[in-house]
Amino acid sequence: MARRERVVRMSVEQPLWRALTAYRVLTMVYADLLFAFKSGDFERPWVGVGFLAVLSVWTLATLPKVSGAARCTKRFLVADLTIALTGILLTPLADAQAQLQDGPTLPTIWTAGAVLAYAIKGGWRWAAAASSLVAAANIVERGEPSRDTLHNVLLVWVASIAIGYVVEVARASERTLARALEIEAATRERERLARDIHDSVLQVLAMVQRRGTALGGEAAELGRMAGEQEVALRSLVAGGLSRPSHVSEDESQGAVVRMVDEPEEDGQHDLRTLLTPHAGSRVTFAEPGAPVLLPRPAAAELAAAVGAALDNVRRHAGPDARAWILVEDWPDEVVVTVRDDGPGIPEGRLAQAESEGRLGVAQSIRGRLRDLGGTADLVSVPGQGTEVELKVPRGKAER
């Protein structure tokens, strides 16, 4: 089934950046209001007014910088943390009693936002370095470490490191998931190509080999070469026809790559029109009186699986074998049954064929139905023919 793929980028970090943006604005407002209510207690209120003016302008002007990892540069992080440390160290200059009363610093809890930016951007190691600088500045501002100071410092240190560690784990998980999805998409593409090759090239090579051997002479040599190419091509298909492309760390970090299979064409198609050409003197086709509508790609895949089943009848059941195709249209699924009156399949023959690289049933039939969300059940009794039942749920086929 023809498909095209699109890549949808999602990141678990984005909610953290949005939360950090809101946190910085709210804590800026909190610091301004707290100073406004207590400005009369400051010995040099103009120091606090000047710093908070700079803090407010900086916070509002740099909101785009904390909207995502790409915009949050190292230069911005250094400048942001410098403003926070400066505010802490200016607190005794604005109010000398702040050291004795163990009151809040000028930037108050806004400082935690600067540390959290380090955590989200660079992980727990960056968070540990930034929080350690904040701890040192608080101790210098107080003159000597008090119980409340140590409590606040420890809280910021633990919280920032924990968030940084969670971000690193999320990034590693996203890279793993992106790689797994890419491998899955490549595997599906390989199976689809293997089915197409089996339905065309491999069968032609097998026919040339049989006819050449039967004719003898130079044709026998041609048949031998066709047989060698068939074996080589089967090995290539089974061993790795396509390999996943490389996903760079920049592309996968902070993003999940989701492969979405989409049909090239929309709309419904009548399955009967695709199966009618198979009817002939030795193939009986039984169909409902009403159209059997399926999405166009699903109908094409189901018809191809029926064609593969009939090819097996022609190749293995003998020239005199007859086949019957029965289409059943149910509200929740479409069922197509292909039955023949050939000699049947000996027990263990399918497993042996797959081990030899002959993937006709596994890929051309079961692989197609698996991609449609359906099933392919094969029942064969030696001497009583073979029956293949193909079921396609309507809901999954539409997706």
Side-chain angles (χ1 to χ4, degrees):
M1 177 169 56
R3 295 181 176 96
R4 64 176 182 271
E5 295 174 345
R6 81 183 165 190
V7 178
V8 181
R9 297 181 63 87
M10 302 181 299
S11 174
V12 296
E13 295 180 29
Q14 203 55 41
L16 295 177
W17 288 111
R18 288 196 293 265
L20 178 61
T21 301
Y23 178 87
R24 288 169 63 89
V25 174
L26 292 176
T27 52
M28 176 204 73
V29 174
Y30 173 77
D32 291 341
L33 292 177
L34 184 63
F35 178 80
F37 286 123
K38 293 188 175 183
S39 59
D41 299 333
F42 282 77
E43 297 177 0
R44 302 178 184 86
W46 57 270
V47 175
V49 171
F51 171 77
L52 291 175
V54 173
L55 179 68
S56 299
V57 173
W58 171 261
T59 301
L60 297 177
T62 58
L63 287 180
K65 290 289 187 179
V66 290
S67 61
R71 294 186 176 184
C72 187
T73 61
K74 293 181 180 180
R75 181 178 299 180
F76 163 75
L77 290 175
V78 171
D80 199 53
L81 185 61
T82 300
I83 290 178
L85 298 178
T86 301
I88 294 173
L89 298 176
L90 283 178
T91 302
L93 180 62
D95 182 15
Q97 298 298 319
Q99 291 181 325
L100 302 177
Q101 297 174 358
D102 204 17
T105 60
L106 288 175
T108 66
I109 57 177
W110 185 91
T111 304
V115 177
L116 292 177
Y118 272 83
I120 300 175
K121 174 67 176 181
W124 70 270
R125 294 175 180 82
W126 287 25
S131 57
S132 298
L133 292 175
V134 170
N138 275 279
I139 294 175
V140 170
E141 185 266 334
R142 297 301 179 190
E144 60 181 15
S146 64
R147 185 181 62 180
D148 290 341
T149 300
L150 293 178
H151 177 269
N152 294 334
V153 166
L154 183 62
L155 182 63
V156 173
W157 197 74
V158 172
S160 61
I161 290 179
I163 292 176
Y165 179 75
V166 169
V167 169
E168 288 188 0
V169 171
R171 286 172 179 165
S173 300
E174 288 176 342
R175 288 193 294 269
T176 302
L177 179 58
R179 184 63 175 169
L181 290 173
E182 185 186 13
I183 292 174
E184 179 185 3
T187 302
R188 286 191 176 187
E189 179 66 11
R190 186 186 72 183
E191 292 179 354
R192 184 186 68 81
L193 292 175
R195 290 195 297 265
D196 293 341
I197 290 174
H198 175 270
D199 292 345
S200 56
V201 180
L202 290 179
Q203 292 189 8
V204 171
L205 290 175
M207 182 185 67
V208 172
Q209 180 188 18
R210 291 195 303 270
R211 295 293 300 274
T213 302
L215 293 174
E218 295 183 358
E221 177 64 15
L222 180 61
R224 184 189 65 79
M225 295 173 60
E228 293 177 353
Q229 293 303 313
E230 180 193 7
V231 172
L233 186 55
R234 287 186 186 277
S235 301
L236 180 62
V237 169
L241 189 58
S242 62
R243 298 183 59 188
S245 59
H246 178 68
V247 176
S248 66
E249 183 173 350
D250 293 338
E251 291 175 339
S252 60
Q253 180 171 333
V256 171
V257 180
R258 184 176 58 191
M259 310 308 294
V260 182
D261 291 338
E262 297 179 336
E264 288 184 342
E265 298 181 34
D266 297 328
Q268 302 288 311
H269 195 78
D270 187 359
L271 178 64
R272 301 178 306 170
T273 62
L274 298 177
L275 298 182
T276 299
H278 293 300
S281 60
R282 296 195 175 275
V283 178
T284 302
F285 179 44
E287 58 181 310
V292 182
L293 298 178
L294 284 173
R296 191 178 301 273
E301 284 289 85
L302 183 53
V306 172
L310 293 174
D311 286 339
N312 287 334
V313 174
R314 287 189 288 268
R315 294 180 60 188
H316 304 296
D320 298 328
R322 294 184 57 86
W324 292 264
I325 304 174
L326 172 63
V327 179
E328 300 174 89
D329 188 11
W330 300 101
D332 56 342
E333 65 180 0
V334 173
V335 181
V336 180
T337 305
V338 180
R339 183 171 59 87
D340 66 71
D341 60 356
I345 303 175
E347 184 177 356
R349 183 66 186 92
L350 291 179
Q352 180 184 357
E354 291 188 19
S355 65
E356 294 174 353
R358 301 179 180 271
L359 307 177
V361 174
Q363 297 287 7
S364 293
I365 300 178
R366 288 176 179 160
R368 283 189 165 98
L369 270 294
R370 183 177 63 249
D371 287 349
L372 295 177
T375 58
D377 297 323
L378 188 147
V379 178
S380 182
V381 178
Q384 300 182 21
T386 302
E387 180 178 297
V388 180
E389 186 179 62
L390 312 174
K391 295 182 179 180
V392 178
R394 286 194 175 278
K396 293 183 178 180
E398 292 174 358
R399 290 195 296 270

